[in-house]
Amino acid sequence: MDTITIWFTLGLLGELLGTAVLAYGYTLVPEATRKRYLLLVAIPGVAIVAYVLLTLGVGRIQAAGHTVYVVRYADWLVTTPINVLYLGLLAQAARDDIAKLVGLQALTIVFGFAGTVVPDPLNYGLFALGAACFAGVVYLLYGPVASAAVAALSDLEVSLYRTLRNFVVVLWMVYPVVWLLGPPGIGLLDVETASLVIVYLDVVTKVGFGVIALQAWTTIREVTVGDSVVTVTAD
């Protein structure tokens, strides 16, 4: 087994474990949030399929002088819009803003992928377009969507929104750095090292995003139930 397959195998195990934990957590979150919570389970669930294919060596092509893992971008094209969809739904944002979030995030991935399969200097132009789309995502998450969260949610829910938003934005900013330093960019990182970093980021962002939400919703449920008990006792 070569080094890169080992990284993909470890990523698969991480996504499997994370999906199992989040699936169990479905029974722990408030009932009113369970339908939306399924999005969190779906994120690492989709990644399981991607990492099975990557481990088997499926979905890789040679383009612009380096290996491109098409399956990886297909995974991101599905999962990262789910991340921002969840944030938009959590914030009870306007439908237009949620649609813009999902669309811009999808375009970020599309342009990033396009930049990996074309030669210099066009790859950097496509990368810049992807970065501009991601800037739009960040603007929405910190602007209109954040305002909607403050207007509609409790203090605990607003805190959860901000934590999840900051978590994904900060970690997602590492991906373009890996792109620039890796084979699609200037090539300072070889494909094995770049894949190791990406596998680590994938597991942390996909599973971590759900675990943070699970812990917060469990706390909110306990606080809500506790308040109800206090109210009944007082009555």
Side-chain angles (χ1 to χ4, degrees):
M1 183 181 292
D2 58 16
T3 302
I4 202 164
T5 303
I6 292 174
W7 302 151
F8 291 152
T9 303
L10 291 175
L12 172 60
L13 293 174
E15 303 293 359
L16 281 167
L17 178 60
T19 303
V21 170
L22 293 175
Y24 171 73
Y26 176 83
T27 63
L28 305 178
V29 300
E31 189 170 347
T33 68
R34 287 180 181 174
K35 184 180 294 186
R36 188 172 61 209
Y37 178 85
L38 289 174
L39 294 172
L40 302 177
V41 183
I43 292 171
V46 171
I48 289 173
V49 178
Y51 274 99
V52 167
L53 296 174
L54 288 169
T55 302
L56 295 175
V58 177
R60 64 177 72 178
I61 63 173
Q62 292 296 319
H66 59 89
T67 303
V68 178
Y69 294 94
V70 179
V71 172
R72 177 183 289 160
Y73 285 91
D75 168 11
W76 293 341
L77 185 59
V78 175
T79 56
T80 60
I82 294 177
N83 281 106
V84 295
L85 172 62
Y86 182 83
L87 287 171
L89 293 175
L90 171 62
Q92 298 182 29
R95 288 186 179 182
D96 287 350
D97 287 334
I98 294 176
K100 290 174 186 176
L101 271 177
V102 172
L104 286 171
Q105 183 55 41
L107 286 174
T108 299
I109 303 304
V110 169
F111 284 125
F113 170 71
T116 66
V117 297
V118 299
D120 296 344
L122 183 56
N123 60 336
Y124 291 109
L126 291 168
F127 173 85
L129 287 174
C133 290
F134 182 64
V137 171
V138 173
Y139 164 75
L140 288 168
L141 289 176
Y142 281 85
V145 179
S147 297
V150 171
L153 305 181
S154 67
D155 290 344
L156 285 174
E157 291 168 331
V158 170
S159 177
L160 170 59
Y161 169 79
R162 289 171 176 166
T163 300
L164 291 174
R165 176 197 62 190
N166 296 341
F167 180 80
V168 294
V169 167
V170 170
L171 289 179
W172 282 355
M173 284 182 176
V174 182
Y175 285 91
V177 175
V178 176
W179 192 101
L180 285 170
L181 296 180
I186 60 179
L188 287 181
L189 296 177
D190 58 33
V191 66
E192 288 83 6
T193 304
S195 291
L196 171 60
V197 176
I198 288 173
V199 167
Y200 174 78
L201 287 172
D202 267 359
V203 174
V204 171
T205 53
K206 290 178 169 64
V207 177
F209 187 86
V211 169
I212 290 171
L214 171 59
Q215 291 176 332
W217 282 121
T218 303
T219 300
I220 291 170
R221 180 182 184 183
E222 291 174 352
V223 169
T224 303
V225 171
D227 287 345
S228 298
V229 170
V230 170
T231 301
V232 170
T233 302
D235 290 343

CSV table of all heavy atoms in Angstrom, one decimal, residues 132-189:
chain,number,residue,atom,x,y,z
A,132,ALA,N,-12.8,34.7,-5.2
A,132,ALA,CA,-13.8,35.8,-5.1
A,132,ALA,C,-15.2,35.3,-4.7
A,132,ALA,O,-15.9,35.9,-3.9
A,132,ALA,CB,-13.9,36.5,-6.5
A,133,CYS,N,-15.6,34.1,-5.2
A,133,CYS,CA,-16.8,33.5,-4.8
A,133,CYS,C,-16.8,33.2,-3.3
A,133,CYS,O,-17.8,33.4,-2.6
A,133,CYS,CB,-17.1,32.2,-5.5
A,133,CYS,SG,-17.4,32.4,-7.3
A,134,PHE,N,-15.7,32.6,-2.8
A,134,PHE,CA,-15.6,32.4,-1.3
A,134,PHE,C,-15.7,33.6,-0.5
A,134,PHE,O,-16.2,33.6,0.6
A,134,PHE,CB,-14.3,31.6,-1.0
A,134,PHE,CG,-14.2,31.2,0.4
A,134,PHE,CD1,-15.1,30.3,1.0
A,134,PHE,CD2,-13.1,31.7,1.2
A,134,PHE,CE1,-15.0,30.0,2.3
A,134,PHE,CE2,-13.0,31.4,2.5
A,134,PHE,CZ,-13.9,30.5,3.1
A,135,ALA,N,-15.1,34.7,-1.0
A,135,ALA,CA,-15.2,36.0,-0.3
A,135,ALA,C,-16.7,36.4,-0.2
A,135,ALA,O,-17.1,37.0,0.8
A,135,ALA,CB,-14.4,37.1,-1.1
A,136,GLY,N,-17.5,36.1,-1.2
A,136,GLY,CA,-18.9,36.4,-1.2
A,136,GLY,C,-19.6,35.5,-0.1
A,136,GLY,O,-20.5,36.0,0.6
A,137,VAL,N,-19.2,34.3,0.1
A,137,VAL,CA,-19.7,33.4,1.1
A,137,VAL,C,-19.4,34.0,2.5
A,137,VAL,O,-20.3,34.1,3.4
A,137,VAL,CB,-19.1,32.0,1.0
A,137,VAL,CG1,-19.5,31.1,2.2
A,137,VAL,CG2,-19.6,31.3,-0.3
A,138,VAL,N,-18.1,34.4,2.7
A,138,VAL,CA,-17.7,35.0,3.9
A,138,VAL,C,-18.5,36.3,4.2
A,138,VAL,O,-19.0,36.5,5.4
A,138,VAL,CB,-16.2,35.3,3.9
A,138,VAL,CG1,-15.8,36.0,5.2
A,138,VAL,CG2,-15.4,34.0,3.8
A,139,TYR,N,-18.7,37.1,3.2
A,139,TYR,CA,-19.5,38.3,3.4
A,139,TYR,C,-20.9,38.0,3.9
A,139,TYR,O,-21.4,38.6,4.9
A,139,TYR,CB,-19.6,39.1,2.1
A,139,TYR,CG,-20.6,40.2,2.2
A,139,TYR,CD1,-20.5,41.3,2.9
A,139,TYR,CD2,-21.9,40.0,1.5
A,139,TYR,CE1,-21.5,42.3,3.0
A,139,TYR,CE2,-22.9,40.9,1.5
A,139,TYR,CZ,-22.7,42.1,2.3
A,139,TYR,OH,-23.7,43.0,2.4
A,140,LEU,N,-21.5,37.0,3.3
A,140,LEU,CA,-22.9,36.7,3.7
A,140,LEU,C,-22.9,36.1,5.1
A,140,LEU,O,-23.8,36.4,5.9
A,140,LEU,CB,-23.5,35.7,2.7
A,140,LEU,CG,-23.8,36.2,1.3
A,140,LEU,CD1,-24.1,35.1,0.3
A,140,LEU,CD2,-25.0,37.2,1.4
A,141,LEU,N,-22.0,35.2,5.4
A,141,LEU,CA,-22.0,34.6,6.7
A,141,LEU,C,-21.8,35.6,7.8
A,141,LEU,O,-22.3,35.4,9.0
A,141,LEU,CB,-20.9,33.5,6.8
A,141,LEU,CG,-21.2,32.2,6.0
A,141,LEU,CD1,-20.1,31.3,6.0
A,141,LEU,CD2,-22.5,31.6,6.4
A,142,TYR,N,-21.0,36.6,7.6
A,142,TYR,CA,-20.7,37.6,8.6
A,142,TYR,C,-21.6,38.9,8.5
A,142,TYR,O,-21.6,39.7,9.4
A,142,TYR,CB,-19.2,38.1,8.5
A,142,TYR,CG,-18.3,37.1,9.1
A,142,TYR,CD1,-17.8,36.0,8.4
A,142,TYR,CD2,-17.8,37.2,10.5
A,142,TYR,CE1,-16.9,35.0,8.9
A,142,TYR,CE2,-17.0,36.3,11.0
A,142,TYR,CZ,-16.5,35.2,10.3
A,142,TYR,OH,-15.7,34.3,10.8
A,143,GLY,N,-22.3,39.0,7.4
A,143,GLY,CA,-23.2,40.1,7.2
A,143,GLY,C,-24.7,39.7,7.4
A,143,GLY,O,-25.2,39.6,8.5
A,144,PRO,N,-25.4,39.6,6.3
A,144,PRO,CA,-26.9,39.4,6.4
A,144,PRO,C,-27.3,38.1,7.1
A,144,PRO,O,-28.3,38.2,7.9
A,144,PRO,CB,-27.3,39.3,4.9
A,144,PRO,CG,-26.2,40.0,4.1
A,144,PRO,CD,-24.9,39.7,4.9
A,145,VAL,N,-26.6,37.1,7.0
A,145,VAL,CA,-26.9,35.8,7.7
A,145,VAL,C,-26.7,36.0,9.2
A,145,VAL,O,-27.5,35.5,10.0
A,145,VAL,CB,-26.2,34.6,7.1
A,145,VAL,CG1,-26.6,33.3,7.8
A,145,VAL,CG2,-26.5,34.4,5.6
A,146,ALA,N,-25.6,36.6,9.5
A,146,ALA,CA,-25.4,36.8,11.0
A,146,ALA,C,-26.4,37.7,11.6
A,146,ALA,O,-26.9,37.5,12.7
A,146,ALA,CB,-24.0,37.4,11.1
A,147,SER,N,-26.8,38.7,10.8
A,147,SER,CA,-27.9,39.6,11.3
A,147,SER,C,-29.2,38.9,11.5
A,147,SER,O,-29.9,39.1,12.5
A,147,SER,CB,-28.0,40.8,10.4
A,147,SER,OG,-26.9,41.6,10.3
A,148,ALA,N,-29.5,38.0,10.6
A,148,ALA,CA,-30.7,37.2,10.7
A,148,ALA,C,-30.7,36.3,12.0
A,148,ALA,O,-31.7,36.2,12.7
A,148,ALA,CB,-30.9,36.3,9.5
A,149,ALA,N,-29.5,35.8,12.3
A,149,ALA,CA,-29.3,34.9,13.4
A,149,ALA,C,-29.6,35.7,14.7
A,149,ALA,O,-30.3,35.2,15.6
A,149,ALA,CB,-27.9,34.3,13.5
A,150,VAL,N,-29.0,36.9,14.8
A,150,VAL,CA,-29.2,37.7,16.0
A,150,VAL,C,-30.6,38.1,16.2
A,150,VAL,O,-31.1,38.1,17.3
A,150,VAL,CB,-28.3,39.0,15.9
A,150,VAL,CG1,-28.6,40.0,17.0
A,150,VAL,CG2,-26.8,38.6,15.9
A,151,ALA,N,-31.3,38.4,15.1
A,151,ALA,CA,-32.7,38.8,15.2
A,151,ALA,C,-33.7,37.6,15.5
A,151,ALA,O,-34.7,37.9,16.2
A,151,ALA,CB,-33.2,39.4,13.9
A,152,ALA,N,-33.3,36.4,15.2
A,152,ALA,CA,-34.3,35.3,15.3
A,152,ALA,C,-34.0,34.3,16.4
A,152,ALA,O,-34.9,33.6,16.8
A,152,ALA,CB,-34.4,34.6,13.9
A,153,LEU,N,-32.7,34.2,16.8
A,153,LEU,CA,-32.3,33.1,17.7
A,153,LEU,C,-32.1,33.5,19.1
A,153,LEU,O,-31.9,34.7,19.4
A,153,LEU,CB,-31.0,32.5,17.1
A,153,LEU,CG,-31.0,32.0,15.7
A,153,LEU,CD1,-29.7,31.4,15.3
A,153,LEU,CD2,-32.2,31.0,15.5
A,154,SER,N,-32.1,32.5,20.0
A,154,SER,CA,-31.7,32.8,21.4
A,154,SER,C,-30.2,33.0,21.5
A,154,SER,O,-29.4,32.8,20.5
A,154,SER,CB,-32.1,31.5,22.3
A,154,SER,OG,-31.2,30.4,21.9
A,155,ASP,N,-29.7,33.5,22.6
A,155,ASP,CA,-28.3,33.7,22.8
A,155,ASP,C,-27.5,32.5,22.6
A,155,ASP,O,-26.4,32.5,22.0
A,155,ASP,CB,-28.0,34.3,24.2
A,155,ASP,CG,-28.6,35.7,24.4
A,155,ASP,OD1,-28.9,36.4,23.4
A,155,ASP,OD2,-28.7,36.2,25.5
A,156,LEU,N,-28.0,31.3,23.1
A,156,LEU,CA,-27.2,30.1,23.0
A,156,LEU,C,-27.1,29.7,21.5
A,156,LEU,O,-26.1,29.2,21.0
A,156,LEU,CB,-27.9,29.0,23.8
A,156,LEU,CG,-27.6,29.0,25.3
A,156,LEU,CD1,-28.5,27.9,26.0
A,156,LEU,CD2,-26.2,28.8,25.6
A,157,GLU,N,-28.2,29.9,20.7
A,157,GLU,CA,-28.2,29.5,19.3
A,157,GLU,C,-27.4,30.4,18.5
A,157,GLU,O,-26.7,30.0,17.6
A,157,GLU,CB,-29.7,29.5,18.8
A,157,GLU,CG,-30.5,28.4,19.4
A,157,GLU,CD,-32.0,28.5,19.1
A,157,GLU,OE1,-32.5,29.7,19.0
A,157,GLU,OE2,-32.7,27.5,19.0
A,158,VAL,N,-27.4,31.7,18.9
A,158,VAL,CA,-26.5,32.7,18.2
A,158,VAL,C,-25.0,32.3,18.4
A,158,VAL,O,-24.2,32.3,17.5
A,158,VAL,CB,-26.7,34.1,18.6
A,158,VAL,CG1,-25.7,35.1,18.1
A,158,VAL,CG2,-28.1,34.6,18.2
A,159,SER,N,-24.7,31.9,19.6
A,159,SER,CA,-23.4,31.5,20.0
A,159,SER,C,-23.0,30.2,19.1
A,159,SER,O,-21.8,30.2,18.6
A,159,SER,CB,-23.2,31.1,21.4
A,159,SER,OG,-21.9,30.7,21.8
A,160,LEU,N,-23.9,29.3,18.9
A,160,LEU,CA,-23.6,28.1,18.1
A,160,LEU,C,-23.4,28.6,16.7
A,160,LEU,O,-22.4,28.1,16.0
A,160,LEU,CB,-24.8,27.2,18.2
A,160,LEU,CG,-24.8,26.0,17.2
A,160,LEU,CD1,-23.5,25.2,17.4
A,160,LEU,CD2,-26.1,25.2,17.3
A,161,TYR,N,-24.2,29.4,16.1
A,161,TYR,CA,-24.0,29.9,14.8
A,161,TYR,C,-22.6,30.5,14.6
A,161,TYR,O,-21.9,30.2,13.6
A,161,TYR,CB,-25.1,30.9,14.4
A,161,TYR,CG,-24.8,31.6,13.1
A,161,TYR,CD1,-25.0,31.0,11.9
A,161,TYR,CD2,-24.1,32.9,13.1
A,161,TYR,CE1,-24.7,31.6,10.7
A,161,TYR,CE2,-23.8,33.5,11.9
A,161,TYR,CZ,-24.1,32.8,10.7
A,161,TYR,OH,-23.7,33.4,9.5
A,162,ARG,N,-22.3,31.4,15.5
A,162,ARG,CA,-21.0,32.0,15.4
A,162,ARG,C,-19.8,31.1,15.5
A,162,ARG,O,-18.8,31.2,14.7
A,162,ARG,CB,-20.8,33.1,16.4
A,162,ARG,CG,-21.7,34.3,16.2
A,162,ARG,CD,-21.8,35.3,17.4
A,162,ARG,NE,-22.5,36.5,17.1
A,162,ARG,CZ,-22.9,37.4,18.0
A,162,ARG,NH1,-22.6,37.2,19.3
A,162,ARG,NH2,-23.6,38.4,17.6
A,163,THR,N,-19.9,30.1,16.4
A,163,THR,CA,-18.9,29.1,16.5
A,163,THR,C,-18.7,28.3,15.3
A,163,THR,O,-17.6,28.1,14.8
A,163,THR,CB,-19.2,28.2,17.7
A,163,THR,OG1,-19.3,29.0,18.9
A,163,THR,CG2,-18.1,27.1,17.9
A,164,LEU,N,-19.8,27.8,14.7
A,164,LEU,CA,-19.8,27.0,13.5
A,164,LEU,C,-19.3,27.8,12.3
A,164,LEU,O,-18.4,27.3,11.5
A,164,LEU,CB,-21.1,26.4,13.2
A,164,LEU,CG,-21.7,25.3,14.1
A,164,LEU,CD1,-23.1,24.9,13.8
A,164,LEU,CD2,-20.8,24.1,14.1
A,165,ARG,N,-19.7,29.0,12.2
A,165,ARG,CA,-19.3,29.9,11.1
A,165,ARG,C,-17.8,30.1,11.2
A,165,ARG,O,-17.1,29.9,10.2
A,165,ARG,CB,-20.0,31.2,11.2
A,165,ARG,CG,-19.6,32.3,10.2
A,165,ARG,CD,-20.0,33.6,10.6
A,165,ARG,NE,-19.4,34.1,11.9
A,165,ARG,CZ,-19.8,35.1,12.5
A,165,ARG,NH1,-20.8,35.9,12.1
A,165,ARG,NH2,-19.2,35.5,13.7
A,166,ASN,N,-17.3,30.5,12.3
A,166,ASN,CA,-15.9,30.8,12.5
A,166,ASN,C,-15.0,29.5,12.2
A,166,ASN,O,-13.9,29.6,11.6
A,166,ASN,CB,-15.6,31.3,13.9
A,166,ASN,CG,-16.2,32.7,14.1
A,166,ASN,OD1,-16.6,33.4,13.1
A,166,ASN,ND2,-16.3,33.1,15.3
A,167,PHE,N,-15.6,28.4,12.7
A,167,PHE,CA,-14.9,27.1,12.5
A,167,PHE,C,-14.6,26.8,11.1
A,167,PHE,O,-13.5,26.5,10.6
A,167,PHE,CB,-15.7,26.0,13.2
A,167,PHE,CG,-15.1,24.6,13.1
A,167,PHE,CD1,-14.1,24.2,14.0
A,167,PHE,CD2,-15.6,23.7,12.2
A,167,PHE,CE1,-13.6,23.0,13.9
A,167,PHE,CE2,-15.1,22.4,12.1
A,167,PHE,CZ,-14.1,22.1,13.0
A,168,VAL,N,-15.7,26.8,10.3
A,168,VAL,CA,-15.5,26.5,8.9
A,168,VAL,C,-14.8,27.5,8.1
A,168,VAL,O,-13.9,27.2,7.2
A,168,VAL,CB,-16.9,26.1,8.2
A,168,VAL,CG1,-17.5,24.9,8.8
A,168,VAL,CG2,-17.8,27.3,8.2
A,169,VAL,N,-15.0,28.8,8.3
A,169,VAL,CA,-14.3,29.8,7.6
A,169,VAL,C,-12.8,29.8,7.8
A,169,VAL,O,-12.0,29.8,6.8
A,169,VAL,CB,-14.9,31.2,7.9
A,169,VAL,CG1,-14.0,32.3,7.4
A,169,VAL,CG2,-16.3,31.4,7.4
A,170,VAL,N,-12.4,29.6,9.0
A,170,VAL,CA,-11.0,29.6,9.3
A,170,VAL,C,-10.3,28.4,8.7
A,170,VAL,O,-9.3,28.4,8.1
A,170,VAL,CB,-10.7,29.6,10.8
A,170,VAL,CG1,-9.2,29.3,11.2
A,170,VAL,CG2,-11.1,31.0,11.4
A,171,LEU,N,-10.9,27.2,8.9
A,171,LEU,CA,-10.3,26.0,8.3
A,171,LEU,C,-10.4,25.9,6.8
A,171,LEU,O,-9.5,25.5,6.2
A,171,LEU,CB,-11.0,24.7,8.9
A,171,LEU,CG,-10.7,24.5,10.4
A,171,LEU,CD1,-11.5,23.2,10.9
A,171,LEU,CD2,-9.2,24.3,10.6
A,172,TRP,N,-11.5,26.4,6.2
A,172,TRP,CA,-11.6,26.4,4.8
A,172,TRP,C,-10.5,27.3,4.1
A,172,TRP,O,-10.2,27.1,3.0
A,172,TRP,CB,-13.0,26.8,4.3
A,172,TRP,CG,-14.0,25.8,4.4
A,172,TRP,CD1,-13.8,24.5,4.8
A,172,TRP,CD2,-15.4,25.9,4.2
A,172,TRP,NE1,-15.0,23.8,4.8
A,172,TRP,CE2,-16.0,24.6,4.4
A,172,TRP,CE3,-16.2,26.9,3.8
A,172,TRP,CZ2,-17.4,24.4,4.3
A,172,TRP,CZ3,-17.6,26.7,3.7
A,172,TRP,CH2,-18.2,25.4,3.9
A,173,MET,N,-10.1,28.3,4.9
A,173,MET,CA,-9.0,29.2,4.3
A,173,MET,C,-7.7,28.5,4.1
A,173,MET,O,-6.8,29.0,3.4
A,173,MET,CB,-8.9,30.4,5.2
A,173,MET,CG,-10.0,31.5,5.1
A,173,MET,SD,-9.7,32.9,6.2
A,173,MET,CE,-11.1,33.9,5.6
A,174,VAL,N,-7.5,27.3,4.8
A,174,VAL,CA,-6.3,26.6,4.6
A,174,VAL,C,-6.3,25.9,3.3
A,174,VAL,O,-5.2,25.7,2.7
A,174,VAL,CB,-6.1,25.6,5.8
A,174,VAL,CG1,-4.8,24.8,5.6
A,174,VAL,CG2,-6.2,26.3,7.1
A,175,TYR,N,-7.4,25.5,2.8
A,175,TYR,CA,-7.5,24.7,1.5
A,175,TYR,C,-6.8,25.5,0.4
A,175,TYR,O,-6.1,24.9,-0.4
A,175,TYR,CB,-8.9,24.4,1.2
A,175,TYR,CG,-9.5,23.2,2.0
A,175,TYR,CD1,-10.2,23.4,3.2
A,175,TYR,CD2,-9.4,21.9,1.5
A,175,TYR,CE1,-10.7,22.4,3.9
A,175,TYR,CE2,-9.9,20.8,2.3
A,175,TYR,CZ,-10.6,21.1,3.4
A,175,TYR,OH,-11.1,20.1,4.2
A,176,PRO,N,-7.2,26.8,0.2
A,176,PRO,CA,-6.5,27.5,-1.0
A,176,PRO,C,-5.0,27.6,-0.8
A,176,PRO,O,-4.3,27.7,-1.8
A,176,PRO,CB,-7.2,28.9,-1.0
A,176,PRO,CG,-7.9,29.0,0.3
A,176,PRO,CD,-8.2,27.6,0.8
A,177,VAL,N,-4.6,27.7,0.5
A,177,VAL,CA,-3.1,27.7,0.7
A,177,VAL,C,-2.5,26.4,0.2
A,177,VAL,O,-1.4,26.4,-0.4
A,177,VAL,CB,-2.8,28.0,2.2
A,177,VAL,CG1,-1.3,27.9,2.5
A,177,VAL,CG2,-3.4,29.3,2.6
A,178,VAL,N,-3.1,25.3,0.5
A,178,VAL,CA,-2.6,24.0,0.1
A,178,VAL,C,-2.7,23.9,-1.5
A,178,VAL,O,-1.8,23.4,-2.1
A,178,VAL,CB,-3.4,22.8,0.7
A,178,VAL,CG1,-3.0,21.5,0.1
A,178,VAL,CG2,-3.3,22.9,2.2
A,179,TRP,N,-3.7,24.5,-2.1
A,179,TRP,CA,-3.9,24.5,-3.5
A,179,TRP,C,-2.7,25.3,-4.1
A,179,TRP,O,-2.0,24.8,-5.1
A,179,TRP,CB,-5.2,25.2,-3.9
A,179,TRP,CG,-5.6,25.1,-5.3
A,179,TRP,CD1,-6.5,24.2,-5.8
A,179,TRP,CD2,-5.1,25.9,-6.4
A,179,TRP,NE1,-6.6,24.4,-7.2
A,179,TRP,CE2,-5.8,25.4,-7.6
A,179,TRP,CE3,-4.2,26.9,-6.6
A,179,TRP,CZ2,-5.5,25.9,-8.9
A,179,TRP,CZ3,-3.9,27.4,-7.8
A,179,TRP,CH2,-4.6,27.0,-8.9
A,180,LEU,N,-2.4,26.5,-3.6
A,180,LEU,CA,-1.3,27.3,-4.1
A,180,LEU,C,0.1,26.7,-3.9
A,180,LEU,O,0.9,26.7,-4.8
A,180,LEU,CB,-1.3,28.7,-3.4
A,180,LEU,CG,-2.4,29.6,-3.9
A,180,LEU,CD1,-2.5,30.9,-3.0
A,180,LEU,CD2,-2.2,30.1,-5.3
A,181,LEU,N,0.3,26.0,-2.8
A,181,LEU,CA,1.6,25.4,-2.5
A,181,LEU,C,1.7,24.0,-3.1
A,181,LEU,O,2.9,23.6,-3.3
A,181,LEU,CB,1.8,25.3,-1.0
A,181,LEU,CG,1.9,26.7,-0.2
A,181,LEU,CD1,2.1,26.4,1.3
A,181,LEU,CD2,3.0,27.5,-0.8
A,182,GLY,N,0.6,23.4,-3.4
A,182,GLY,CA,0.6,22.0,-3.9
A,182,GLY,C,0.8,22.0,-5.4
A,182,GLY,O,1.1,23.0,-6.1
A,183,PRO,N,0.6,20.8,-6.0
A,183,PRO,CA,0.9,20.6,-7.5
A,183,PRO,C,0.1,21.5,-8.4
A,183,PRO,O,0.6,21.9,-9.4
A,183,PRO,CB,0.4,19.1,-7.7
A,183,PRO,CG,0.7,18.5,-6.3
A,183,PRO,CD,0.4,19.5,-5.3
A,184,PRO,N,-1.2,21.9,-8.1
A,184,PRO,CA,-1.9,22.8,-9.0
A,184,PRO,C,-1.3,24.2,-9.1
A,184,PRO,O,-1.4,24.9,-10.0
A,184,PRO,CB,-3.3,22.9,-8.5
A,184,PRO,CG,-3.4,21.7,-7.6
A,184,PRO,CD,-2.1,21.4,-7.0
A,185,GLY,N,-0.6,24.6,-8.0
A,185,GLY,CA,0.0,25.9,-7.9
A,185,GLY,C,1.5,25.9,-8.2
A,185,GLY,O,2.0,25.4,-9.2
A,186,ILE,N,2.3,26.3,-7.2
A,186,ILE,CA,3.7,26.5,-7.4
A,186,ILE,C,4.5,25.2,-7.1
A,186,ILE,O,5.7,25.1,-7.4
A,186,ILE,CB,4.3,27.6,-6.5
A,186,ILE,CG1,4.1,27.4,-5.0
A,186,ILE,CG2,3.7,29.0,-6.9
A,186,ILE,CD1,4.6,28.4,-4.1
A,187,GLY,N,3.9,24.2,-6.5
A,187,GLY,CA,4.5,22.9,-6.4
A,187,GLY,C,5.4,22.7,-5.2
A,187,GLY,O,6.3,21.8,-5.3
A,188,LEU,N,5.4,23.5,-4.2
A,188,LEU,CA,6.3,23.3,-3.1
A,188,LEU,C,5.9,22.1,-2.3
A,188,LEU,O,6.8,21.5,-1.6
A,188,LEU,CB,6.2,24.6,-2.1
A,188,LEU,CG,6.9,25.8,-2.6
A,188,LEU,CD1,6.8,27.0,-1.6
A,188,LEU,CD2,8.4,25.6,-3.0
A,189,LEU,N,4.6,21.7,-2.3
A,189,LEU,CA,4.2,20.5,-1.6
A,189,LEU,C,4.0,19.4,-2.7
A,189,LEU,O,3.3,19.7,-3.7
A,189,LEU,CB,2.9,20.7,-0.9
A,189,LEU,CG,2.8,21.7,0.3
A,189,LEU,CD1,1.4,21.9,0.8
A,189,LEU,CD2,3.8,21.3,1.4
